[in-house]
Amino acid sequence: MRFQHFSFLAMGGPCSLQLFAPDDHSLRRAAAAAQAEVQRIEAKYSRYRDDSVVSRINASAGNAQGIEVDPETAALLDYAAAAHEQSDGLFDATSGVLRRAWDFKARKLPQQSQLDALLPLVGWDKLQWQRPRLVLPLKGMELDFGGFGKEYAADRAAAALIASGVSDALVELGGDIRVLGPQPDGKPWRVGIRHPRAPDLPVAGVELRGGAIASSGDYERYFELGGRRYSHILDPRSGWPIEGLASVSVLAEQCLVAGTATTIAMLKGAQGRQWLEELGLPWMTVDAGGQVEGSIATAAPEPHELSS
């Protein structure tokens, strides 16, 4: 059995594939298929591309006729609707418009008037969604799949590997990980979980023989001002960054589910731990004071291991 590690850039960051296959040709063919699937999803749902489905949806905002979407997009919209309901409205794919008021590179706080002007455009319950037609009723409204697109791509890359005959692999897209089976010798994949205040260091480690792990935290995009940390995870009700938890990691069968769970828990702040406990998936949180809690094993991994 041959092994190879492939690296590439997609979804705004570094990605990698670790594969076992019978020969080099099979390795390259499977890796190419998985990478192509990631790039397909990025092109289809990127808000940075004028020709993407998301851009076409957003361009239709204010048009009472709306737009018809394909089955894959419809399934993702159904998923976003379910996540919105199960999060009591906190997971909201329309909240991306709030980024217009936030400039994390300039380390500048928005004026409340800026947020007040955008908040009427936020609200999944404002959408009119009946397969296959979607209506964004207010001009200026937007959908943003950034809250789950990368995790969905990890799952789809894993599906491409399976279709290529690979049964032992690890897919990593910007820290979100999907695993196919253990390694051929039966050993699990070791994954380290980043410390939110020292992202180059692991705070915990897990062993995976399948499934996925995703992490979310206030360390991904943020700035500090006046002794307070302002992260990119914004409360759709107020437009301001959440507070309470510094990072959340969740294990699930699908990376999409794991990633959504981490985001919802972050958005719930102090109530995030209780929500995760009720959800029933393995989890770990680190609060702003560095306290670690949760059911995920806390054995520190070796420095060379992967990080989520």
Side-chain angles (χ1 to χ4, degrees):
M1 191 69 71
R2 303 284 292 173
F3 170 82
Q4 193 163 344
H5 186 168
F6 300 86
S7 298
F8 61 101
L9 294 175
M11 300 283 171
C15 305
S16 68
L17 305 169
Q18 299 192 44
L19 315 178
F20 288 92
D23 53 67
D24 290 340
H25 174 72
S26 298
L27 283 169
R28 290 192 297 270
R29 180 172 56 85
Q35 185 172 339
E37 182 67 353
V38 172
Q39 292 168 337
R40 180 190 71 83
I41 293 166
E42 181 175 28
K44 185 173 182 178
Y45 296 114
S46 171
R47 62 182 173 85
Y48 298 107
R49 292 177 60 120
D50 293 339
D51 61 345
S52 73
V53 168
V54 165
S55 291
R56 292 201 299 273
I57 290 172
N58 293 342
S60 75
N63 182 341
Q65 298 302 311
I67 185 173
E68 287 194 3
V69 301
D70 64 277
E72 181 180 38
T73 303
L76 289 173
L77 290 171
D78 285 344
Y79 182 82
H84 179 263
E85 180 180 358
Q86 293 173 17
S87 66
D88 299 319
L90 288 174
F91 190 96
D92 195 318
T94 70
S95 63
V97 295
L98 296 170
R99 69 177 175 275
R100 300 176 191 168
W102 286 91
D103 188 340
F104 288 92
K105 291 183 179 179
R107 299 165 50 87
K108 182 180 179 181
L109 294 178
Q111 298 294 319
Q112 185 61 47
S113 59
Q114 293 176 278
L115 295 174
D116 291 341
L118 293 171
L119 286 171
L121 301 176
V122 177
W124 182 268
D125 54 348
K126 295 182 173 73
L127 300 183
Q128 300 165 28
W129 167 230
Q130 187 171 5
R131 278 176 176 252
R133 186 163 295 277
L134 173 68
V135 177
L136 277 61
L138 302 177
K139 191 172 181 60
M141 287 189 75
E142 290 185 4
L143 281 188
D144 188 344
F145 286 9
F148 53 88
K150 180 158 57 76
E151 294 85 353
Y152 174 65
D155 289 329
R156 292 304 309 156
L161 292 176
I162 292 172
S164 298
V166 171
S167 58
D168 308 290
L170 184 146
V171 177
E172 190 265 328
L173 304 183
D176 293 326
I177 291 171
R178 174 69 188 271
V179 166
L180 295 178
Q183 299 179 57
D185 60 3
K187 291 182 179 178
W189 300 90
R190 288 279 295 171
V191 177
I193 300 173
R194 292 186 176 99
H195 194 294
R197 293 297 176 264
D200 292 334
L201 299 176
V203 68
V206 295
E207 295 184 343
L208 296 179
R209 289 181 168 83
I213 181 169
S215 297
S216 183
D218 65 4
Y219 54 85
E220 295 167 358
R221 234 175 32 253
Y222 72 95
F223 64 87
E224 294 182 351
L225 191 66
R228 178 180 171 182
R229 177 177 291 231
Y230 296 89
S231 84
H232 75 292
I233 304 175
L234 306 176
D235 188 324
R237 300 166 298 185
S238 68
W240 288 90
I242 52 84
E243 292 184 284
L245 296 176
S247 72
V248 179
S249 298
V250 172
L251 299 176
E253 286 300 312
Q254 294 180 306
C255 199
L256 179 60
V257 173
T260 304
T262 65
T263 301
I264 293 174
M266 286 291 298
L267 287 164
K268 284 185 173 289
Q271 287 74 49
R273 291 189 176 108
Q274 180 179 347
W275 182 83
L276 287 166
E277 192 66 33
E278 293 171 355
L279 185 64
L281 295 173
W283 60 275
M284 189 190 78
T285 63
V286 183
D287 66 18
Q291 182 176 356
V292 179
E293 293 188 29
S295 55
I296 292 178
T298 56
E302 296 300 322
H304 67 275
E305 291 170 341
L306 298 159
S307 291
S308 170

